[in-house]
Amino acid sequence: MSQKLAVDAGTVQRIKAGYLPGLSDDEVQWQVLPFEARDGLRLEVCVPMLTAPQMLALAERVRKAADTHLRSMPVAEIIEAIDRAMARLLDRNDVYRQWAERWLPVVSGYDADMVRLGLTGFFKTFRAAQLKRFVAEDFSNPAVLDSFQPAAKGGAVRAFGPDLLVHSWAGNVPALSLWSLVCGLLVKAPAMGKLASAEPLFAGWFARLLAEVHPPLADCLAVVWWRGAGGEEADALYGQADTVLAYGGNPTLDALRRRLPVTTRFLPHGHKLGFGLIAAQALDTLKAPAMARLAAWDVMRYDQQGCYSPHVFYVQRGGAVSPRAFADYLAAELANLQRRFARRELDLEEGAAVARWQQSMEWSAEPQQLLGPVDAAWSVAYSDGLQPLMPTALQRTIAVVAVDSLDDVLPVAAAQREYLQTAGIAASPEELYRLAGLLGAAGVTRISAIGSMSMPEAGWHHDGRFNLLDLVRMTEIEQSAELAAQPLAAYAD
């Protein structure tokens, strides 16, 4: 991999992506993915194109290495290794952090400062203390990952990770692959991941870094790529996997589900809708501007590309600051953030989607007012009447809807039950818990503060599921087996 960081605009830098333990570069065909930054810097990312036999051989190598090294490691030692890797990624003088800060903005198109701040906040959630909480969220006794532990009902139980875990990543958020990679490591699963063409860098870097900080893990991971849905090489890998963890659009996930063997455990994470609820008590003349600033950060982070990003803020009437005034505050904050963290340049399809969304707001049955210049790199649509919970065009497009009561939002949200995930709430403690119960019944799986919607905590239950428990199978020694073993002991005579 190239380590050159200072590059003149107009020059082309080339980086090899992926991570292929046991395979040399000249054994592999490479595909070039071109990227260009706003400053003219051009990057060519070379991604590996393996044949089906190479994919099978790599899967076997990863499995054997995990059997030798990863599965025998105590989970505490795995956490320590990940923590050392995170310490390096948080060190801005470390070459891996420098690569991330230099090249992830180029491949993603996001503002460099946005990526820098986002990476720091993201990496902090994978330090040792947070990882221990992560494991404790799913296992009351984390030692169950290391050995058989006493079961409350009698006997003993142990958790085993997949024989081969395959990750299929999306590229909408830089370094998104870290979530599933860490989950796989914590359950001691040999893993192979398929890079996203939109962000083909970070997973391979992390695999290399992990091999540096703990060399026994060097062959326990592999990072590959194929074009689109893939062909024989993809089928060869999927045929070896007993668990597939995938991110992406719902049509892509449905197509992937159909090509997997019926015995393969499939864990998909697809399109989701996030929204915010802001109570009247959060809208006095001091709190409202600060609340709008927090809401704007949730809209700005990665241009709403995360599954947890908000699409609509429902704002209650009756506060000192009206919902319309709150919308004005939000528009002003988005304008300020655009000056600090410029929105990435949109392609023709994305620009057309924003224009269609703006037009649909103005031409809806109850027209919504668009605030700010029509050509701004953000857009706020305000409505005085209750509107359905619908996706925006992303790219910092947000709807603000005035309501008499936050309870009015519940049937609107429940109508999108299968797509619900994150709700941000600004309300009193009593209202928070009352609304949380109602929203949970409607299908919401995560409730956060406004301003934290796009920054999930370590160990959050993604889409309401268990990050680690869903990956393992439990093996039980029943009490009957223990009792039957007693007469056979050497001391029984």
Side-chain angles (χ1 to χ4, degrees):
M1 180 190 298
S2 169
Q3 298 189 25
K4 184 180 178 183
L5 293 175
V7 184
D8 295 331
T11 63
V12 179
Q13 181 74 355
R14 177 166 286 196
I15 293 176
K16 282 190 174 178
Y19 180 71
L20 310 171
L23 285 174
S24 62
D25 288 355
D26 56 6
E27 294 180 77
V28 178
Q29 288 189 330
W30 299 86
Q31 172 72 36
V32 174
L33 304 179
F35 300 90
E36 185 169 352
R38 294 180 181 181
D39 60 5
L41 176 61
R42 288 180 291 164
L43 175 65
E44 292 182 346
V45 179
C46 302
V47 288
M49 300 181 65
L50 303 187
T51 64
Q54 287 175 321
M55 200 73 78
L56 292 173
L58 189 56
E60 183 62 18
R61 183 185 184 94
V62 166
R63 266 198 297 255
K64 287 182 177 179
D67 288 342
T68 303
H69 302 292
L70 180 58
R71 295 198 189 279
S72 60
M73 284 179 65
V75 70
E77 188 177 342
I78 296 172
I79 288 174
E80 183 184 350
I82 297 170
D83 183 66
R84 292 199 303 271
M86 290 302 106
R88 289 188 56 180
L89 286 170
L90 285 164
D91 179 4
R92 297 194 68 198
N93 292 318
D94 188 273
V95 67
Y96 282 96
R97 176 59 187 246
Q98 291 174 351
W99 286 336
E101 288 192 16
R102 186 67 183 103
W103 302 119
L104 290 181
V106 175
V107 299
S108 67
Y110 294 125
D111 178 85
D113 282 339
M114 182 203 298
V115 171
R116 176 178 58 82
L117 292 173
L119 290 177
T120 297
F122 189 47
F123 294 152
K124 287 192 297 185
T125 65
F126 296 97
R127 299 307 305 269
Q130 285 71 30
L131 291 176
K132 290 174 183 177
R133 295 189 186 99
F134 198 165
V135 175
E137 279 290 328
D138 284 14
F139 300 99
S140 57
N141 180 4
V144 76
L145 290 162
D146 296 331
S147 61
F148 281 98
Q149 298 295 308
K153 65 178 179 60
V157 64
R158 183 175 177 181
F160 289 90
D163 181 59
L164 180 65
L165 172 62
V166 171
H167 310 264
S168 179
W169 295 305
N172 51 329
V173 175
L176 176 66
S177 54
L178 186 58
W179 274 112
S180 65
L181 281 169
V182 167
C183 289
L185 288 167
L186 292 175
V187 300
K188 309 182 184 183
M192 294 180 63
K194 188 261 182 181
L195 291 165
S197 296
E199 200 280 82
L201 292 175
F202 182 81
W205 289 339
F206 179 73
R208 288 186 175 88
L209 176 56
L210 197 66
E212 288 183 18
V213 300
H214 198 85
L217 295 177
D219 287 4
C220 298
L221 296 175
V223 179
V224 300
W225 180 88
W226 55 73
R227 188 190 308 277
E232 292 181 353
E233 76 286 11
D235 288 333
L237 180 56
Y238 288 137
Q240 293 293 304
D242 62 339
T243 304
V244 174
L245 179 57
Y247 300 82
N250 290 353
T252 300
L253 294 174
D254 184 56
L256 176 53
R257 185 198 308 270
R258 294 173 185 272
R259 72 190 297 180
L260 295 178
V262 68
T263 54
T264 301
R265 181 181 301 182
F266 183 51
L267 302 172
H269 295 290
H271 289 145
K272 295 297 174 183
L273 271 173
F275 62 98
L277 300 175
I278 300 176
Q281 58 260 42
L283 295 172
D284 64 26
T285 54
L286 291 177
K287 296 186 181 74
M291 187 60 58
R293 188 171 304 115
L294 293 171
W297 275 85
D298 276 333
V299 175
M300 178 275 297
R301 285 192 189 99
Y302 295 127
D303 299 344
Q304 297 168 285
Q305 293 295 318
C307 60
Y308 30 65
S309 299
H311 294 256
V312 182
F313 286 111
Y314 294 97
V315 184
Q316 186 179 15
R317 297 184 179 93
V321 173
S322 69
R324 176 64 171 77
F326 176 83
D328 286 331
Y329 282 132
L330 179 59
E333 291 297 338
L334 287 173
N336 288 336
L337 288 175
Q338 168 62 19
R339 287 189 284 272
R340 183 178 176 188
F341 307 105
R343 186 186 69 183
R344 67 182 180 86
E345 294 183 1
L346 307 185
D347 60 29
L348 290 176
E349 184 177 347
E350 292 167 332
V354 170
R356 287 194 300 270
W357 179 81
Q358 291 174 329
Q359 190 176 68
S360 71
M361 294 298 98
E362 294 181 315
W363 291 2
S364 61
E366 294 187 14
Q368 302 183 50
Q369 183 179 0
L370 290 175
L371 309 182
V374 69
D375 59 347
W378 51 269
S379 189
V380 177
Y382 174 75
S383 174
D384 260 326
L386 182 63
Q387 297 290 325
L389 175 58
M390 298 294 291
T392 65
L394 309 180
Q395 322 304 341
R396 309 190 193 186
T397 59
I398 187 73
V400 175
V401 176
V403 294
D404 292 323
S405 169
L406 295 182
D407 288 28
D408 296 340
V409 180
L410 296 169
V412 170
Q416 298 282 13
R417 173 182 294 270
E418 64 268 35
Y419 298 108
L420 296 182
Q421 185 202 80
T422 297
I425 297 184
S428 68
E430 297 80 8
E431 273 291 274
L432 168 63
Y433 278 91
R434 188 185 71 83
L435 287 168
L438 297 171
L439 290 170
V444 171
T445 60
R446 173 176 173 254
I447 293 169
S448 78
I450 304 294
S452 297
M453 294 182 66
S454 50
M455 296 183 64
E457 297 175 345
W460 71 303
H461 294 95
H462 196 170
D463 294 342
R465 296 299 309 165
F466 293 97
N467 291 291
L468 304 181
L469 271 177
D470 280 356
L471 291 175
V472 302
R473 56 180 172 82
M474 309 300 290
T475 297
E476 297 186 6
I477 299 174
E478 290 191 350
Q479 192 171 26
S480 63
E482 286 186 325
L483 295 175
Q486 290 297 325
L488 306 178
Y491 53 75
D493 296 330

Short mmCIF file of all heavy atoms in Angstrom, two decimals, residues 438-486:
data_model
loop_
_atom_site.label_atom_id
_atom_site.label_comp_id
_atom_site.label_asym_id
_atom_site.label_seq_id
_atom_site.Cartn_x
_atom_site.Cartn_y
_atom_site.Cartn_z
N LEU A 438 -44.90 4.11 23.93
CA LEU A 438 -45.81 4.15 22.78
C LEU A 438 -45.06 3.97 21.48
O LEU A 438 -45.52 3.26 20.56
CB LEU A 438 -46.58 5.48 22.78
CG LEU A 438 -47.50 5.72 23.99
CD1 LEU A 438 -48.04 7.14 23.99
CD2 LEU A 438 -48.65 4.72 23.99
N LEU A 439 -43.89 4.59 21.37
CA LEU A 439 -43.10 4.46 20.14
C LEU A 439 -42.56 3.05 19.98
O LEU A 439 -42.51 2.51 18.88
CB LEU A 439 -41.95 5.46 20.16
CG LEU A 439 -42.33 6.93 20.01
CD1 LEU A 439 -41.14 7.83 20.30
CD2 LEU A 439 -42.89 7.21 18.62
N GLY A 440 -42.13 2.43 21.09
CA GLY A 440 -41.67 1.05 21.02
C GLY A 440 -42.77 0.13 20.52
O GLY A 440 -42.53 -0.76 19.69
N ALA A 441 -43.99 0.35 21.00
CA ALA A 441 -45.12 -0.46 20.53
C ALA A 441 -45.41 -0.22 19.06
O ALA A 441 -45.89 -1.12 18.36
CB ALA A 441 -46.36 -0.16 21.37
N ALA A 442 -45.06 0.99 18.58
CA ALA A 442 -45.30 1.32 17.17
C ALA A 442 -44.22 0.77 16.25
O ALA A 442 -44.39 0.77 15.03
CB ALA A 442 -45.39 2.84 17.00
N GLY A 443 -43.09 0.32 16.82
CA GLY A 443 -42.04 -0.26 16.00
C GLY A 443 -40.68 0.39 16.11
O GLY A 443 -39.72 -0.10 15.53
N VAL A 444 -40.57 1.51 16.84
CA VAL A 444 -39.27 2.17 17.01
C VAL A 444 -38.36 1.29 17.86
O VAL A 444 -38.79 0.70 18.86
CB VAL A 444 -39.45 3.55 17.66
CG1 VAL A 444 -38.11 4.16 18.06
CG2 VAL A 444 -40.19 4.49 16.72
N THR A 445 -37.09 1.16 17.48
CA THR A 445 -36.16 0.30 18.21
C THR A 445 -35.05 1.06 18.92
O THR A 445 -34.32 0.47 19.71
CB THR A 445 -35.52 -0.73 17.26
OG1 THR A 445 -34.80 -0.03 16.22
CG2 THR A 445 -36.58 -1.62 16.63
N ARG A 446 -34.91 2.34 18.63
CA ARG A 446 -33.85 3.13 19.29
C ARG A 446 -34.37 4.53 19.55
O ARG A 446 -34.92 5.17 18.64
CB ARG A 446 -32.60 3.18 18.42
CG ARG A 446 -31.52 4.13 18.95
CD ARG A 446 -30.25 4.09 18.10
NE ARG A 446 -29.32 5.11 18.53
CZ ARG A 446 -29.06 6.24 17.87
NH1 ARG A 446 -29.66 6.49 16.70
NH2 ARG A 446 -28.19 7.11 18.33
N ILE A 447 -34.19 5.00 20.79
CA ILE A 447 -34.61 6.35 21.17
C ILE A 447 -33.39 7.07 21.71
O ILE A 447 -32.72 6.58 22.63
CB ILE A 447 -35.75 6.31 22.20
CG1 ILE A 447 -37.00 5.72 21.54
CG2 ILE A 447 -36.03 7.69 22.76
CD1 ILE A 447 -38.11 5.39 22.49
N SER A 448 -33.10 8.23 21.14
CA SER A 448 -31.91 8.98 21.54
C SER A 448 -32.27 10.43 21.79
O SER A 448 -33.40 10.87 21.53
CB SER A 448 -30.85 8.90 20.44
OG SER A 448 -31.17 9.79 19.38
N ALA A 449 -31.31 11.18 22.27
CA ALA A 449 -31.47 12.62 22.35
C ALA A 449 -31.35 13.23 20.96
O ALA A 449 -30.69 12.68 20.08
CB ALA A 449 -30.39 13.21 23.26
N ILE A 450 -32.02 14.36 20.78
CA ILE A 450 -31.76 15.15 19.57
C ILE A 450 -30.28 15.56 19.62
O ILE A 450 -29.77 16.00 20.64
CB ILE A 450 -32.65 16.40 19.52
CG1 ILE A 450 -34.14 16.02 19.60
CG2 ILE A 450 -32.37 17.20 18.25
CD1 ILE A 450 -34.67 15.24 18.44
N GLY A 451 -29.59 15.40 18.51
CA GLY A 451 -28.16 15.67 18.46
C GLY A 451 -27.33 14.41 18.55
O GLY A 451 -26.15 14.42 18.20
N SER A 452 -27.95 13.31 19.02
CA SER A 452 -27.25 12.03 19.11
C SER A 452 -27.86 10.98 18.19
O SER A 452 -27.45 9.83 18.22
CB SER A 452 -27.28 11.51 20.56
OG SER A 452 -26.60 12.37 21.42
N MET A 453 -28.83 11.38 17.37
CA MET A 453 -29.51 10.41 16.51
C MET A 453 -28.53 9.72 15.57
O MET A 453 -28.62 8.51 15.34
CB MET A 453 -30.60 11.10 15.69
CG MET A 453 -31.77 11.63 16.52
SD MET A 453 -33.05 12.39 15.51
CE MET A 453 -33.67 10.96 14.61
N SER A 454 -27.58 10.47 15.05
CA SER A 454 -26.64 9.90 14.08
C SER A 454 -25.33 9.46 14.71
O SER A 454 -24.33 9.28 14.02
CB SER A 454 -26.37 10.93 12.96
OG SER A 454 -26.03 12.19 13.51
N MET A 455 -25.34 9.25 16.05
CA MET A 455 -24.16 8.77 16.76
C MET A 455 -24.57 7.68 17.75
O MET A 455 -24.64 7.91 18.95
CB MET A 455 -23.46 9.92 17.50
CG MET A 455 -22.89 10.99 16.60
SD MET A 455 -22.01 12.27 17.54
CE MET A 455 -20.67 11.33 18.25
N PRO A 456 -24.86 6.48 17.28
CA PRO A 456 -25.31 5.41 18.18
C PRO A 456 -24.24 5.05 19.20
O PRO A 456 -23.05 5.15 18.94
CB PRO A 456 -25.56 4.23 17.22
CG PRO A 456 -25.67 4.83 15.86
CD PRO A 456 -24.82 6.04 15.88
N GLU A 457 -24.70 4.63 20.37
CA GLU A 457 -23.78 4.18 21.41
C GLU A 457 -23.22 2.80 21.08
O GLU A 457 -23.84 2.02 20.36
CB GLU A 457 -24.51 4.12 22.76
CG GLU A 457 -25.01 5.46 23.26
CD GLU A 457 -25.81 5.33 24.53
OE1 GLU A 457 -26.23 4.20 24.86
OE2 GLU A 457 -26.03 6.36 25.19
N ALA A 458 -22.05 2.51 21.65
CA ALA A 458 -21.49 1.17 21.50
C ALA A 458 -22.45 0.15 22.10
O ALA A 458 -22.99 0.35 23.18
CB ALA A 458 -20.13 1.09 22.20
N GLY A 459 -22.65 -0.94 21.39
CA GLY A 459 -23.51 -1.99 21.91
C GLY A 459 -24.99 -1.76 21.68
O GLY A 459 -25.81 -2.51 22.22
N TRP A 460 -25.36 -0.73 20.90
CA TRP A 460 -26.79 -0.52 20.65
C TRP A 460 -27.36 -1.72 19.91
O TRP A 460 -26.67 -2.43 19.18
CB TRP A 460 -27.01 0.77 19.86
CG TRP A 460 -26.58 0.75 18.43
CD1 TRP A 460 -25.35 0.46 17.95
CD2 TRP A 460 -27.38 1.05 17.27
NE1 TRP A 460 -25.32 0.56 16.58
CE2 TRP A 460 -26.54 0.91 16.13
CE3 TRP A 460 -28.71 1.41 17.09
CZ2 TRP A 460 -27.00 1.14 14.84
CZ3 TRP A 460 -29.17 1.64 15.80
CH2 TRP A 460 -28.33 1.51 14.70
N HIS A 461 -28.62 -1.96 20.12
CA HIS A 461 -29.28 -3.10 19.49
C HIS A 461 -29.76 -2.69 18.10
O HIS A 461 -30.86 -2.18 17.93
CB HIS A 461 -30.45 -3.59 20.36
CG HIS A 461 -30.00 -4.15 21.67
ND1 HIS A 461 -29.96 -3.40 22.82
CD2 HIS A 461 -29.54 -5.39 22.00
CE1 HIS A 461 -29.52 -4.17 23.81
NE2 HIS A 461 -29.25 -5.36 23.34
N HIS A 462 -28.90 -2.91 17.12
CA HIS A 462 -29.15 -2.49 15.75
C HIS A 462 -30.45 -3.10 15.24
O HIS A 462 -30.60 -4.32 15.20
CB HIS A 462 -27.97 -2.90 14.87
CG HIS A 462 -27.93 -2.20 13.55
ND1 HIS A 462 -26.87 -2.28 12.70
CD2 HIS A 462 -28.83 -1.39 12.93
CE1 HIS A 462 -27.11 -1.56 11.62
NE2 HIS A 462 -28.29 -1.02 11.74
N ASP A 463 -31.37 -2.22 14.83
CA ASP A 463 -32.69 -2.65 14.35
C ASP A 463 -33.43 -3.49 15.39
O ASP A 463 -34.24 -4.36 15.06
CB ASP A 463 -32.58 -3.43 13.03
CG ASP A 463 -32.08 -2.55 11.89
OD1 ASP A 463 -32.15 -1.32 12.02
OD2 ASP A 463 -31.62 -3.10 10.87
N GLY A 464 -33.12 -3.24 16.68
CA GLY A 464 -33.82 -3.94 17.74
C GLY A 464 -33.35 -5.36 17.98
O GLY A 464 -33.98 -6.10 18.74
N ARG A 465 -32.25 -5.74 17.35
CA ARG A 465 -31.75 -7.10 17.49
C ARG A 465 -30.46 -7.09 18.31
O ARG A 465 -29.90 -6.05 18.62
CB ARG A 465 -31.47 -7.72 16.11
CG ARG A 465 -32.70 -7.90 15.25
CD ARG A 465 -33.71 -8.81 15.91
NE ARG A 465 -33.10 -10.06 16.35
CZ ARG A 465 -33.67 -10.90 17.19
NH1 ARG A 465 -34.85 -10.63 17.72
NH2 ARG A 465 -33.05 -12.02 17.54
N PHE A 466 -29.98 -8.29 18.64
CA PHE A 466 -28.74 -8.44 19.39
C PHE A 466 -27.56 -8.49 18.43
O PHE A 466 -27.56 -9.28 17.48
CB PHE A 466 -28.78 -9.71 20.24
CG PHE A 466 -29.80 -9.66 21.34
CD1 PHE A 466 -31.06 -10.22 21.17
CD2 PHE A 466 -29.51 -9.03 22.54
CE1 PHE A 466 -32.00 -10.18 22.18
CE2 PHE A 466 -30.44 -8.98 23.56
CZ PHE A 466 -31.69 -9.55 23.39
N ASN A 467 -26.55 -7.66 18.70
CA ASN A 467 -25.39 -7.63 17.82
C ASN A 467 -24.60 -8.94 17.88
O ASN A 467 -24.11 -9.43 16.87
CB ASN A 467 -24.47 -6.47 18.21
CG ASN A 467 -25.08 -5.12 17.92
OD1 ASN A 467 -25.23 -4.75 16.76
ND2 ASN A 467 -25.43 -4.38 18.95
N LEU A 468 -24.46 -9.50 19.07
CA LEU A 468 -23.63 -10.68 19.26
C LEU A 468 -24.46 -11.96 19.39
O LEU A 468 -24.11 -12.99 18.81
CB LEU A 468 -22.74 -10.51 20.50
CG LEU A 468 -21.85 -9.26 20.49
CD1 LEU A 468 -21.00 -9.20 21.75
CD2 LEU A 468 -20.98 -9.21 19.26
N LEU A 469 -25.54 -11.90 20.14
CA LEU A 469 -26.36 -13.10 20.34
C LEU A 469 -26.89 -13.64 19.02
O LEU A 469 -27.01 -14.87 18.85
CB LEU A 469 -27.53 -12.81 21.28
CG LEU A 469 -27.28 -13.01 22.77
CD1 LEU A 469 -28.51 -12.60 23.56
CD2 LEU A 469 -26.91 -14.45 23.08
N ASP A 470 -27.21 -12.75 18.08
CA ASP A 470 -27.72 -13.21 16.79
C ASP A 470 -26.66 -13.94 15.98
O ASP A 470 -26.99 -14.64 15.02
CB ASP A 470 -28.26 -12.03 15.98
CG ASP A 470 -29.66 -11.61 16.41
OD1 ASP A 470 -30.23 -12.28 17.29
OD2 ASP A 470 -30.17 -10.61 15.89
N LEU A 471 -25.38 -13.77 16.35
CA LEU A 471 -24.30 -14.41 15.60
C LEU A 471 -23.94 -15.79 16.14
O LEU A 471 -23.30 -16.57 15.43
CB LEU A 471 -23.05 -13.53 15.63
CG LEU A 471 -23.11 -12.20 14.87
CD1 LEU A 471 -21.85 -11.39 15.11
CD2 LEU A 471 -23.31 -12.43 13.38
N VAL A 472 -24.30 -16.08 17.37
CA VAL A 472 -23.81 -17.31 18.00
C VAL A 472 -24.88 -18.39 18.03
O VAL A 472 -26.07 -18.14 17.84
CB VAL A 472 -23.33 -17.05 19.44
CG1 VAL A 472 -22.24 -15.99 19.46
CG2 VAL A 472 -24.49 -16.65 20.35
N ARG A 473 -24.41 -19.61 18.26
CA ARG A 473 -25.31 -20.70 18.63
C ARG A 473 -24.89 -21.16 20.02
O ARG A 473 -23.72 -21.15 20.38
CB ARG A 473 -25.22 -21.86 17.63
CG ARG A 473 -23.83 -22.41 17.44
CD ARG A 473 -23.78 -23.56 16.45
NE ARG A 473 -22.39 -23.93 16.15
CZ ARG A 473 -21.66 -24.71 16.91
NH1 ARG A 473 -22.17 -25.23 18.02
NH2 ARG A 473 -20.42 -24.99 16.58
N MET A 474 -25.87 -21.56 20.81
CA MET A 474 -25.61 -21.97 22.17
C MET A 474 -25.57 -23.49 22.25
O MET A 474 -26.47 -24.17 21.73
CB MET A 474 -26.69 -21.42 23.11
CG MET A 474 -26.94 -19.92 22.97
SD MET A 474 -25.50 -18.88 23.30
CE MET A 474 -25.32 -19.10 25.06
N THR A 475 -24.54 -24.00 22.88
CA THR A 475 -24.42 -25.44 23.13
C THR A 475 -24.63 -25.68 24.62
O THR A 475 -23.95 -25.06 25.45
CB THR A 475 -23.05 -25.97 22.69
OG1 THR A 475 -22.92 -25.78 21.27
CG2 THR A 475 -22.90 -27.45 23.02
N GLU A 476 -25.55 -26.57 24.96
CA GLU A 476 -25.89 -26.83 26.35
C GLU A 476 -25.47 -28.23 26.78
O GLU A 476 -25.62 -29.20 26.02
CB GLU A 476 -27.40 -26.69 26.58
CG GLU A 476 -27.93 -25.29 26.33
CD GLU A 476 -29.40 -25.16 26.70
OE1 GLU A 476 -29.96 -26.11 27.27
OE2 GLU A 476 -29.98 -24.09 26.42
N ILE A 477 -24.91 -28.32 27.94
CA ILE A 477 -24.74 -29.60 28.62
C ILE A 477 -25.89 -29.70 29.63
O ILE A 477 -25.93 -28.94 30.59
CB ILE A 477 -23.38 -29.68 29.36
CG1 ILE A 477 -22.22 -29.54 28.37
CG2 ILE A 477 -23.28 -31.00 30.13
CD1 ILE A 477 -20.86 -29.48 29.05
N GLU A 478 -26.82 -30.59 29.38
CA GLU A 478 -27.97 -30.69 30.27
C GLU A 478 -27.55 -31.30 31.61
O GLU A 478 -26.57 -32.05 31.72
CB GLU A 478 -29.08 -31.52 29.63
CG GLU A 478 -29.74 -30.82 28.46
CD GLU A 478 -31.00 -31.54 28.01
OE1 GLU A 478 -31.26 -32.67 28.48
OE2 GLU A 478 -31.74 -30.96 27.19
N GLN A 479 -28.35 -30.98 32.63
CA GLN A 479 -28.05 -31.48 33.96
C GLN A 479 -28.05 -33.01 33.99
O GLN A 479 -27.29 -33.64 34.74
CB GLN A 479 -29.06 -30.93 34.96
CG GLN A 479 -28.67 -31.15 36.41
CD GLN A 479 -29.60 -30.41 37.36
OE1 GLN A 479 -30.75 -30.14 37.03
NE2 GLN A 479 -29.09 -30.06 38.53
N SER A 480 -28.87 -33.62 33.14
CA SER A 480 -28.92 -35.08 33.10
C SER A 480 -27.56 -35.66 32.70
O SER A 480 -27.14 -36.70 33.22
CB SER A 480 -30.00 -35.55 32.12
OG SER A 480 -29.70 -35.13 30.80
N ALA A 481 -26.86 -34.98 31.76
CA ALA A 481 -25.55 -35.45 31.34
C ALA A 481 -24.53 -35.31 32.47
O ALA A 481 -23.67 -36.19 32.67
CB ALA A 481 -25.08 -34.68 30.11
N GLU A 482 -24.62 -34.22 33.23
CA GLU A 482 -23.73 -34.06 34.37
C GLU A 482 -23.95 -35.15 35.41
O GLU A 482 -22.99 -35.75 35.93
CB GLU A 482 -23.97 -32.69 35.02
CG GLU A 482 -23.42 -31.51 34.26
CD GLU A 482 -23.56 -30.21 35.03
OE1 GLU A 482 -24.57 -30.04 35.76
OE2 GLU A 482 -22.66 -29.36 34.91
N LEU A 483 -25.21 -35.43 35.71
CA LEU A 483 -25.53 -36.44 36.72
C LEU A 483 -25.10 -37.83 36.25
O LEU A 483 -24.58 -38.63 37.04
CB LEU A 483 -27.02 -36.41 37.03
CG LEU A 483 -27.53 -35.12 37.70
CD1 LEU A 483 -29.06 -35.16 37.83
CD2 LEU A 483 -26.88 -34.92 39.06
N ALA A 484 -25.30 -38.10 34.95
CA ALA A 484 -24.92 -39.41 34.43
C ALA A 484 -23.41 -39.59 34.41
O ALA A 484 -22.90 -40.73 34.45
CB ALA A 484 -25.48 -39.57 33.02
N ALA A 485 -22.64 -38.50 34.36
CA ALA A 485 -21.19 -38.59 34.34
C ALA A 485 -20.60 -38.89 35.70
O ALA A 485 -19.50 -39.44 35.80
CB ALA A 485 -20.59 -37.28 33.78
N GLN A 486 -21.34 -38.53 36.77
CA GLN A 486 -20.79 -38.70 38.11
C GLN A 486 -20.39 -40.13 38.45
O GLN A 486 -19.29 -40.36 38.97
CB GLN A 486 -21.77 -38.15 39.15
CG GLN A 486 -21.92 -36.65 39.17
CD GLN A 486 -20.63 -35.95 39.53
OE1 GLN A 486 -19.84 -36.45 40.34
NE2 GLN A 486 -20.38 -34.79 38.92
#
